[in-house]
Structures are given as structure tokens and as C-alpha cells.
Amino acid sequence: HAEEIGRSIPTTVVCASDDKECMMYLQETLQNDRFRIYRNSDLIGCELGGALKNPIALCCGIVEGMGLGDNTIAALMTRGLAEITRLGVAMGGKRETFNGLSGVGDLIVTCTSAHSRNHRAGLLIGQGMSAKEAVSRVGTVEGYQCAKIAYEIACSLNVQVPIIEQLCEVCYNGQSPLDAVSKLMGRPSKAEEEVF
């Protein structure tokens, strides 16, 4: 979060480009003892990690607003990362990118921080406000529109994204968050290693 970088709180980020010299220049120019930069040539994966974490953060805010616990949030983040990775790889990203800063790193900070607009909007939805009103009150909530677009792309690529699907039901079709949780918990059992 920029608020923390501005206060010189130790932060790591990833710089993505297909131009190695450019990445190295930015890394050498901007990095200091409080701001560490890693390089990554997977532009698609880095871009998708940065975008797809937003719907999951919106979900985490919703479950927190519902009064559910740490177990639920941890499950959403973990299974959300599985969805981000499945969709990201299907769209051309590299699997290992989603285990890095623009994947799991960005996911953790956005799902758990008071600085996150997605999380703040989710809190309001979880407390009973409509998604449309919550987005209007918070302002820019990237996960709201990203969820719909991600779900459409996932359907076109035959990729399962049940968390994002249920978020769309809550945000666009008036489903209650409690019903969404019940549907996710009632899905058919499977092995964690299964990709689809």
C-alpha cells in the first residue's frame, strides 16, 4: 500500500517487463533499504495476479462483515489463490508467478488491510448493504467489476471459479452472502490437488 511506502515501512514489490534492461534499471534506481524490487518477465501473470486478487478481497470483506472467523477468511484466500492460478494459467500466465508477490503477496495484503477499498466494500455488503450501494459509498472497488469480467472469461475458457461465481451472484443477482457461503460449502468433495 502506498500509505506504508510513504512512511518508509519495509515493502517488497515486483517489476514486470519483457525488457530485462528496463527492469534492472528500475530495480537499481528505485530500490533502497526500505523498498525492495524483484523482477519478473511474466507480464500476463503479474497483471492478472494484481487484478484477480480484488474479487477475493471483496469476498474476505463480506465474510468479515458477516461475522465469520479467521478460518473462513483463510479458506477464501487459499481457495481464491487456486482460482486465480487456474484462470491466470489458462490466460497465459506462469503458475509460479501466482506464488510470488503479484499473486499471493498482493492477495494477502488486499484481503486483510483496512487500506483496501475492496475489503471495505465487502464489509458493508456482509453487514447487509447491497453491493451497488457499498460500491457507491466506497468509490473505486476494482473487485466488483473484475468479478463479472473474470467469470465471463472463466466460462469461455471452461475454468472453474466457484468463489468468483458466487460473488457475482451476490453482487449482480441479489443472492444473500449467507446463501453464497452455503453453496460454496456444499460443493461436491474433491482432492485438493485437483486442478479443475
Side-chain angles (χ1 to χ4, degrees), residues 156-171:
S156 74
L157 296 173
N158 198 30
V159 175
Q160 291 186 14
V161 289
I163 296 170
I164 292 173
E165 178 183 6
Q166 289 305 309
L167 178 62
C168 287
E169 289 298 318
V170 169
C171 288

PDB file of all heavy atoms in Angstrom, residues 156-171:
ATOM      1  N   SER A 156     -15.757 -18.855 -20.661  1.00  0.00           N
ATOM      2  CA  SER A 156     -15.340 -19.035 -22.059  1.00  0.00           C
ATOM      3  C   SER A 156     -14.157 -19.989 -22.188  1.00  0.00           C
ATOM      4  O   SER A 156     -13.976 -20.632 -23.221  1.00  0.00           O
ATOM      5  CB  SER A 156     -15.002 -17.683 -22.699  1.00  0.00           C
ATOM      6  OG  SER A 156     -13.767 -17.193 -22.208  1.00  0.00           O
ATOM      7  N   LEU A 157     -13.341 -20.095 -21.124  1.00  0.00           N
ATOM      8  CA  LEU A 157     -12.178 -20.983 -21.133  1.00  0.00           C
ATOM      9  C   LEU A 157     -12.442 -22.301 -20.404  1.00  0.00           C
ATOM     10  O   LEU A 157     -11.538 -23.121 -20.258  1.00  0.00           O
ATOM     11  CB  LEU A 157     -10.977 -20.278 -20.481  1.00  0.00           C
ATOM     12  CG  LEU A 157     -10.449 -19.037 -21.195  1.00  0.00           C
ATOM     13  CD1 LEU A 157      -9.383 -18.348 -20.350  1.00  0.00           C
ATOM     14  CD2 LEU A 157      -9.901 -19.409 -22.574  1.00  0.00           C
ATOM     15  N   ASN A 158     -13.669 -22.487 -19.932  1.00  0.00           N
ATOM     16  CA  ASN A 158     -14.057 -23.697 -19.195  1.00  0.00           C
ATOM     17  C   ASN A 158     -13.199 -23.902 -17.944  1.00  0.00           C
ATOM     18  O   ASN A 158     -12.727 -25.003 -17.666  1.00  0.00           O
ATOM     19  CB  ASN A 158     -14.005 -24.934 -20.109  1.00  0.00           C
ATOM     20  CG  ASN A 158     -14.793 -26.093 -19.537  1.00  0.00           C
ATOM     21  OD1 ASN A 158     -15.778 -25.894 -18.827  1.00  0.00           O
ATOM     22  ND2 ASN A 158     -14.350 -27.301 -19.829  1.00  0.00           N
ATOM     23  N   VAL A 159     -12.980 -22.811 -17.200  1.00  0.00           N
ATOM     24  CA  VAL A 159     -12.215 -22.842 -15.958  1.00  0.00           C
ATOM     25  C   VAL A 159     -13.177 -22.621 -14.796  1.00  0.00           C
ATOM     26  O   VAL A 159     -13.971 -21.675 -14.818  1.00  0.00           O
ATOM     27  CB  VAL A 159     -11.117 -21.745 -15.955  1.00  0.00           C
ATOM     28  CG1 VAL A 159     -10.400 -21.694 -14.615  1.00  0.00           C
ATOM     29  CG2 VAL A 159     -10.125 -21.982 -17.085  1.00  0.00           C
ATOM     30  N   GLN A 160     -13.107 -23.485 -13.800  1.00  0.00           N
ATOM     31  CA  GLN A 160     -13.988 -23.357 -12.640  1.00  0.00           C
ATOM     32  C   GLN A 160     -13.466 -22.290 -11.676  1.00  0.00           C
ATOM     33  O   GLN A 160     -12.305 -22.335 -11.260  1.00  0.00           O
ATOM     34  CB  GLN A 160     -14.098 -24.692 -11.906  1.00  0.00           C
ATOM     35  CG  GLN A 160     -14.858 -25.726 -12.689  1.00  0.00           C
ATOM     36  CD  GLN A 160     -15.071 -26.990 -11.872  1.00  0.00           C
ATOM     37  OE1 GLN A 160     -14.887 -27.009 -10.656  1.00  0.00           O
ATOM     38  NE2 GLN A 160     -15.477 -28.050 -12.551  1.00  0.00           N
ATOM     39  N   VAL A 161     -14.330 -21.343 -11.351  1.00  0.00           N
ATOM     40  CA  VAL A 161     -14.022 -20.287 -10.382  1.00  0.00           C
ATOM     41  C   VAL A 161     -15.236 -20.102  -9.460  1.00  0.00           C
ATOM     42  O   VAL A 161     -15.911 -19.087  -9.498  1.00  0.00           O
ATOM     43  CB  VAL A 161     -13.633 -18.957 -11.079  1.00  0.00           C
ATOM     44  CG1 VAL A 161     -12.263 -19.052 -11.731  1.00  0.00           C
ATOM     45  CG2 VAL A 161     -14.678 -18.542 -12.116  1.00  0.00           C
ATOM     46  N   PRO A 162     -15.510 -21.085  -8.598  1.00  0.00           N
ATOM     47  CA  PRO A 162     -16.748 -21.043  -7.807  1.00  0.00           C
ATOM     48  C   PRO A 162     -16.860 -19.862  -6.860  1.00  0.00           C
ATOM     49  O   PRO A 162     -17.966 -19.364  -6.629  1.00  0.00           O
ATOM     50  CB  PRO A 162     -16.733 -22.375  -7.053  1.00  0.00           C
ATOM     51  CG  PRO A 162     -15.326 -22.856  -7.117  1.00  0.00           C
ATOM     52  CD  PRO A 162     -14.747 -22.310  -8.389  1.00  0.00           C
ATOM     53  N   ILE A 163     -15.758 -19.395  -6.300  1.00  0.00           N
ATOM     54  CA  ILE A 163     -15.833 -18.242  -5.395  1.00  0.00           C
ATOM     55  C   ILE A 163     -16.236 -16.999  -6.178  1.00  0.00           C
ATOM     56  O   ILE A 163     -17.139 -16.255  -5.775  1.00  0.00           O
ATOM     57  CB  ILE A 163     -14.494 -18.022  -4.656  1.00  0.00           C
ATOM     58  CG1 ILE A 163     -14.190 -19.209  -3.746  1.00  0.00           C
ATOM     59  CG2 ILE A 163     -14.519 -16.714  -3.860  1.00  0.00           C
ATOM     60  CD1 ILE A 163     -12.779 -19.199  -3.171  1.00  0.00           C
ATOM     61  N   ILE A 164     -15.586 -16.785  -7.303  1.00  0.00           N
ATOM     62  CA  ILE A 164     -15.914 -15.623  -8.140  1.00  0.00           C
ATOM     63  C   ILE A 164     -17.341 -15.739  -8.665  1.00  0.00           C
ATOM     64  O   ILE A 164     -18.076 -14.747  -8.732  1.00  0.00           O
ATOM     65  CB  ILE A 164     -14.879 -15.463  -9.273  1.00  0.00           C
ATOM     66  CG1 ILE A 164     -13.521 -15.075  -8.664  1.00  0.00           C
ATOM     67  CG2 ILE A 164     -15.337 -14.435 -10.298  1.00  0.00           C
ATOM     68  CD1 ILE A 164     -12.368 -15.041  -9.644  1.00  0.00           C
ATOM     69  N   GLU A 165     -17.760 -16.939  -9.006  1.00  0.00           N
ATOM     70  CA  GLU A 165     -19.140 -17.155  -9.459  1.00  0.00           C
ATOM     71  C   GLU A 165     -20.141 -16.741  -8.382  1.00  0.00           C
ATOM     72  O   GLU A 165     -21.112 -16.021  -8.662  1.00  0.00           O
ATOM     73  CB  GLU A 165     -19.344 -18.622  -9.826  1.00  0.00           C
ATOM     74  CG  GLU A 165     -20.758 -18.945 -10.259  1.00  0.00           C
ATOM     75  CD  GLU A 165     -20.975 -20.418 -10.549  1.00  0.00           C
ATOM     76  OE1 GLU A 165     -20.051 -21.237 -10.313  1.00  0.00           O
ATOM     77  OE2 GLU A 165     -22.069 -20.758 -11.027  1.00  0.00           O
ATOM     78  N   GLN A 166     -19.914 -17.172  -7.148  1.00  0.00           N
ATOM     79  CA  GLN A 166     -20.836 -16.824  -6.070  1.00  0.00           C
ATOM     80  C   GLN A 166     -20.789 -15.331  -5.740  1.00  0.00           C
ATOM     81  O   GLN A 166     -21.804 -14.735  -5.394  1.00  0.00           O
ATOM     82  CB  GLN A 166     -20.550 -17.667  -4.825  1.00  0.00           C
ATOM     83  CG  GLN A 166     -20.935 -19.122  -4.983  1.00  0.00           C
ATOM     84  CD  GLN A 166     -22.388 -19.291  -5.401  1.00  0.00           C
ATOM     85  OE1 GLN A 166     -23.297 -18.736  -4.787  1.00  0.00           O
ATOM     86  NE2 GLN A 166     -22.609 -20.059  -6.458  1.00  0.00           N
ATOM     87  N   LEU A 167     -19.607 -14.724  -5.881  1.00  0.00           N
ATOM     88  CA  LEU A 167     -19.519 -13.274  -5.687  1.00  0.00           C
ATOM     89  C   LEU A 167     -20.377 -12.551  -6.713  1.00  0.00           C
ATOM     90  O   LEU A 167     -21.077 -11.587  -6.379  1.00  0.00           O
ATOM     91  CB  LEU A 167     -18.064 -12.804  -5.772  1.00  0.00           C
ATOM     92  CG  LEU A 167     -17.857 -11.295  -5.634  1.00  0.00           C
ATOM     93  CD1 LEU A 167     -18.327 -10.792  -4.269  1.00  0.00           C
ATOM     94  CD2 LEU A 167     -16.393 -10.943  -5.864  1.00  0.00           C
ATOM     95  N   CYS A 168     -20.363 -13.016  -7.946  1.00  0.00           N
ATOM     96  CA  CYS A 168     -21.207 -12.411  -8.985  1.00  0.00           C
ATOM     97  C   CYS A 168     -22.685 -12.562  -8.643  1.00  0.00           C
ATOM     98  O   CYS A 168     -23.482 -11.637  -8.867  1.00  0.00           O
ATOM     99  CB  CYS A 168     -20.913 -13.050 -10.345  1.00  0.00           C
ATOM    100  SG  CYS A 168     -19.338 -12.535 -11.054  1.00  0.00           S
ATOM    101  N   GLU A 169     -23.059 -13.717  -8.098  1.00  0.00           N
ATOM    102  CA  GLU A 169     -24.455 -13.922  -7.694  1.00  0.00           C
ATOM    103  C   GLU A 169     -24.861 -12.913  -6.618  1.00  0.00           C
ATOM    104  O   GLU A 169     -25.962 -12.371  -6.645  1.00  0.00           O
ATOM    105  CB  GLU A 169     -24.661 -15.355  -7.197  1.00  0.00           C
ATOM    106  CG  GLU A 169     -24.608 -16.407  -8.281  1.00  0.00           C
ATOM    107  CD  GLU A 169     -25.703 -16.233  -9.319  1.00  0.00           C
ATOM    108  OE1 GLU A 169     -26.860 -15.948  -8.940  1.00  0.00           O
ATOM    109  OE2 GLU A 169     -25.396 -16.365 -10.518  1.00  0.00           O
ATOM    110  N   VAL A 170     -23.954 -12.660  -5.680  1.00  0.00           N
ATOM    111  CA  VAL A 170     -24.240 -11.694  -4.613  1.00  0.00           C
ATOM    112  C   VAL A 170     -24.289 -10.272  -5.172  1.00  0.00           C
ATOM    113  O   VAL A 170     -25.210  -9.505  -4.889  1.00  0.00           O
ATOM    114  CB  VAL A 170     -23.192 -11.807  -3.483  1.00  0.00           C
ATOM    115  CG1 VAL A 170     -23.307 -10.641  -2.498  1.00  0.00           C
ATOM    116  CG2 VAL A 170     -23.318 -13.142  -2.758  1.00  0.00           C
ATOM    117  N   CYS A 171     -23.301  -9.921  -5.978  1.00  0.00           N
ATOM    118  CA  CYS A 171     -23.184  -8.539  -6.459  1.00  0.00           C
ATOM    119  C   CYS A 171     -24.193  -8.168  -7.532  1.00  0.00           C
ATOM    120  O   CYS A 171     -24.645  -7.024  -7.579  1.00  0.00           O
ATOM    121  CB  CYS A 171     -21.771  -8.301  -7.004  1.00  0.00           C
ATOM    122  SG  CYS A 171     -20.504  -8.207  -5.728  1.00  0.00           S
TER     123      CYS A 171
END
